[in-house]
Amino acid sequence: MEELDLREIVSGYKERIRRLALFDPLYELERKREQDHEKKDIDMKGLGLLALLFFFEQKLMRQYKAGAKQLAAFLEKTAEMQYRLDHEDYERLARSIIQTFRPTTGKKRCYSFFNWETGADDGIEYSILKASSFDMKTNQQYYTLDEDGLELVFATKEFYSEFQLSINQLMLRKQLDKGEFKGALRQINEMRIDVESLVERMTRLKHEIQRSIVSEETFERYKQLLEDIYGRLNRENDEFKALRAFVKETRQRLYAKDMHKKESRTYDLVLRIARELESVHYEHTRLLEQTGDLKNTTLLTAQESLYYTGIQAFNFDQDLSAKITATPLPLEAMAGVLQPFLKVEENKRWSPLTILADQKISEERALAEDPGFIDVDSDDEALPYRRLLAEKYRELMALFLGASEQSGVRKLSQFINFLEESDRSDLFEQRYFYQFWLILHQRSPIINGETEGDDEGKTVLDDALTLLGDRVLHVREGSGILKKSKRFSIQELLIHMEEGNNELS
């Protein structure tokens, strides 16, 4: 029997003990005795592992505001079907778990042991959780996984391969923070392998989509899968940008300290890290673009192929005629079979687009049977009504000009208030009041003498427009609806007058 090399066997004993010591907080939680309201024992070690997974997922998702309240909400949602506890109980358990991983003293946890490699008592310090930030407004302390906490999670959870790149990104940031540039370069090479593996997986997924989509259910499943992958790649792309910025700052800081002269090997390593990281980021960006194309084109093409395949596979005689003639169906079922082949139901509906059609504005007449638009011909029967309407329009124009000069009226609502103060509220019940403003809005800008009339050149507005003189009247739409009568309403109008030269032809 060969003699054992004891020195080789116990080599690295402290590092092995350190990895075992990371599990000590979980066993400490297991020794805690907690029960719910039904006297059922609570699995504190399991809740502790859930807490580790919670903080790890928050780190992966770049959510840095995770504290006792957020952990309590997560535990309550996860264990609500298992234990009967109040929200306050979950907060108490969350704080107990956090204090176990990170003592209230703020110091690192300690683990004492006998080192068989050195033959002396030894100890290890490690940190599972560390404080990340503090919210002064809500008085909340937020935590994140420390380096030892990440290692504990890696040792207790089986990760899906698609998360490996995110894990490597976290490890790369840690190594850059500690100045371990050789390890960082190796980490970047591992990230390159991860990206290449993802490219191969996306290629296989593309072929699988084109080959396997045979129903609407599989289409929805692949659609959701691609959306999840695209979202994860976007988050990884953001982390790549942050890493590139960090490496750039590190390179500039070393250059400012003349490290390229004092320690050229270290500076060369940083330059190589920058180049390699740039290359990996470029490949990852191409992967992100390919995933977007796969989501936007290949998936839709597969759906269209599914649609046309169904059309081509349809046989009218076999799938419809034979079904109807060979199977006695009730009348209701017959209607369901024939429904897809019948003409689409048509209903006459009022369309909102009709408000954009030409509008006819009519005035109430005492003896008129047809409430049509104003007839501007020289019919003798219409002359008395036209004269009356012209007088009313002249009266309204005079009232408005007086209100404009006295009170600076610039809106229709202001003019209506002016009429109420002048005890002329009776005008709000007359159709011609609203017709007058609608006509002015249609013909805006309005200049005296430039309105189209009958053969003699006269309109019902002529008498009113003479009051303008050489001024130009502008009437534009405002916001809001004015309703001073049960019968009529009108939109707010903005009224503006400006001086101008009225050249009559």
Side-chain angles (χ1 to χ4, degrees):
M1 182 177 179
E2 296 183 3
E3 186 177 354
L4 297 177
D5 188 352
L6 299 180
R7 183 179 297 275
E8 183 66 25
I9 291 176
V10 298
S11 176
Y13 183 82
K14 182 175 182 179
E15 181 63 24
R16 297 177 186 275
I17 288 293
R18 190 187 71 83
R19 295 180 184 276
L20 292 176
L22 295 179
F23 289 87
D24 192 53
L26 294 176
Y27 294 120
E28 184 176 334
L29 287 172
E30 186 179 20
R31 291 190 291 270
K32 292 180 179 292
R33 294 290 179 262
E34 295 284 352
Q35 293 182 336
D36 64 358
H37 298 325
E38 296 180 355
K39 303 301 180 181
K40 183 178 180 180
D41 292 335
I42 298 176
D43 180 16
M44 290 297 294
K45 183 174 70 173
L47 294 183
L49 181 57
L50 287 176
L52 290 175
L53 299 181
F54 168 75
F55 285 111
F56 178 73
E57 294 299 326
Q58 295 296 305
K59 201 174 187 67
L60 281 180
M61 299 300 182
R62 302 171 61 86
Q63 300 292 336
Y64 301 115
K65 290 188 176 181
K69 291 186 176 180
Q70 289 75 20
L71 176 59
F74 169 75
L75 295 178
E76 182 176 3
K77 185 176 181 180
T78 305
E80 61 182 353
M81 302 301 295
Q82 184 69 19
Y83 302 119
R84 297 293 179 264
L85 296 171
D86 299 331
H87 181 72
E88 293 76 12
D89 297 327
Y90 281 106
E91 283 200 11
R92 177 178 57 81
L93 293 178
R95 296 185 187 280
S96 175
I97 292 172
I98 291 176
Q99 290 175 6
T100 302
F101 288 134
R102 184 179 185 275
T104 55
T105 58
K107 297 181 180 180
K108 294 183 177 181
R109 290 182 59 90
C110 297
Y111 185 84
S112 301
F113 66 100
F114 181 81
N115 193 334
W116 291 98
E117 183 179 9
T118 61
D121 292 331
D122 206 341
I124 294 173
E125 290 186 349
Y126 60 96
S127 174
I128 305 296
L129 287 181
K130 66 177 180 179
S132 60
S133 62
F134 183 77
D135 192 343
M136 298 291 292
K137 295 182 179 179
T138 59
N139 196 28
Q140 290 191 54
Q141 178 70 58
Y142 299 120
Y143 303 93
T144 186
L145 286 178
D146 207 344
E147 183 177 356
D148 296 321
L150 283 172
E151 188 171 349
L152 176 58
V153 171
F154 297 158
T156 57
K157 182 179 179 183
E158 180 183 0
F159 298 102
Y160 297 108
S161 58
E162 56 262 27
F163 282 108
Q164 190 61 43
L165 183 60
S166 299
I167 297 171
N168 286 334
Q169 287 178 333
L170 292 175
M171 296 302 296
L172 177 60
R173 171 61 70 91
K174 292 296 180 182
Q175 289 171 330
L176 291 174
D177 285 338
K178 296 171 63 175
E180 298 178 357
F181 298 126
K182 287 186 178 180
L185 189 59
R186 179 180 177 83
Q187 200 73 43
I188 293 176
N189 292 331
E190 293 181 5
M191 291 165 62
R192 182 189 302 280
I193 296 175
D194 295 333
V195 173
E196 292 174 355
S197 176
L198 287 175
V199 171
E200 294 177 359
R201 290 188 59 203
M202 293 307 299
T203 304
R204 291 196 301 270
L205 182 60
K206 178 180 180 180
H207 296 158
E208 185 179 346
I209 288 175
Q210 295 173 338
R211 183 176 59 250
S212 303
I213 291 186
V214 294
S215 66
E216 195 68 24
E217 291 75 12
T218 56
F219 169 78
E220 291 296 333
R221 180 166 58 85
Y222 280 113
K223 179 181 177 182
Q224 184 63 41
L225 175 62
L226 285 176
E227 289 178 353
D228 294 341
I229 293 175
Y230 190 76
R232 187 180 67 253
L233 291 178
N234 263 322
R235 291 190 295 270
E236 292 174 353
N237 187 57
D238 294 338
E239 184 65 28
F240 267 120
K241 293 178 181 178
L243 287 172
R244 286 179 56 195
F246 184 79
V247 171
K248 183 179 179 181
E249 293 175 1
T250 303
R251 179 173 58 83
Q252 293 175 348
R253 184 174 66 254
L254 293 177
Y255 188 84
K257 296 179 179 179
D258 291 336
M259 296 295 289
H260 61 292
K261 298 178 180 178
K262 300 177 182 178
E263 297 184 15
S264 58
R265 292 184 60 185
T266 301
Y267 189 75
D268 290 341
L269 271 177
V270 174
L271 292 179
R272 187 177 175 186
I273 287 173
R275 289 194 302 268
E276 295 294 332
L277 184 61
E278 183 77 22
S279 176
V280 174
H281 186 201
Y282 174 74
E283 295 297 330
H284 187 272
T285 304
R286 288 184 56 192
L287 176 63
L288 180 62
E289 294 174 355
Q290 292 174 5
T291 306
D293 294 338
L294 183 63
K295 184 168 68 79
N296 297 328
T297 58
T298 306
L299 196 62
L300 296 180
T301 303
Q303 187 184 32
E304 293 176 359
S305 175
L306 175 65
Y307 172 73
Y308 287 109
T309 300
I311 292 179
Q312 294 171 1
F314 177 75
N315 187 297
F316 188 86
D317 292 333
Q318 179 180 351
D319 297 334
L320 185 63
S321 301
K323 182 73 174 177
I324 294 176
T325 57
T327 306
L329 298 174
L331 184 60
E332 295 80 4
M334 187 72 69
V337 173
L338 297 176
Q339 187 69 28
F341 305 96
L342 300 178
K343 185 179 179 181
V344 178
E345 181 181 358
E346 296 181 358
N347 291 322
K348 290 185 178 181
R349 303 278 185 177
W350 175 82
S351 173
L353 295 178
T354 56
I355 62 175
L356 302 177
D358 295 337
Q359 303 284 329
K360 289 187 176 182
I361 304 171
S362 59
E363 175 62 33
E364 291 182 344
R365 305 186 183 185
L367 301 177
E369 296 181 357
D370 182 16
F373 196 67
I374 305 170
D375 189 5
V376 296
D377 59 15
S378 57
D379 188 2
D380 293 339
E381 296 180 358
L383 286 177
Y385 174 75
R386 293 180 72 249
R387 294 193 188 99
L388 177 62
L389 199 57
E391 293 177 0
K392 296 297 184 182
Y393 287 171
R394 179 183 176 87
E395 179 185 6
L396 289 175
M397 181 64 76
L399 287 172
F400 173 74
L401 294 177
S404 178
E405 294 174 357
Q406 295 178 18
S407 306
V409 171
R410 295 294 182 269
K411 295 182 180 180
L412 181 56
S413 57
Q414 297 175 350
F415 179 53
I416 290 176
N417 295 334
F418 175 81
L419 293 178
E420 288 181 334
E421 295 174 358
S422 303
D423 296 330
R424 293 303 308 270
S425 301
D426 56 302
L427 294 175
F428 306 151
E429 300 294 333
Q430 305 300 322
R431 180 187 293 270
Y432 68 80
F433 175 81
Y434 303 93
Q435 181 177 306
F436 172 72
W437 291 109
L438 292 176
I439 294 175
L440 292 182
H441 175 257
Q442 288 179 344
R443 301 189 178 186
S444 177
I446 300 173
I447 303 175
N448 182 24
E450 292 190 3
T451 55
E452 298 179 358
D454 56 13
D455 295 338
E456 299 178 358
K458 296 181 180 179
T459 69
V460 292
L461 287 175
D462 285 347
D463 294 342
L465 297 184
T466 55
L467 300 178
L468 288 176
D470 61 350
R471 290 172 291 185
V472 181
L473 183 65
H474 297 269
V475 181
R476 297 182 292 106
E477 294 182 5
S479 59
I481 301 297
L482 307 178
K483 187 174 180 61
K484 291 295 182 178
S485 170
K486 295 181 179 180
R487 298 175 57 200
F488 306 110
S489 62
I490 189 172
Q491 187 171 346
E492 174 71 283
L493 296 176
L494 307 178
I495 310 166
H496 172 66
M497 284 191 301
E498 63 181 12
E499 299 296 333
N501 297 323
N502 186 14
E503 298 179 358
L504 297 176
S505 58

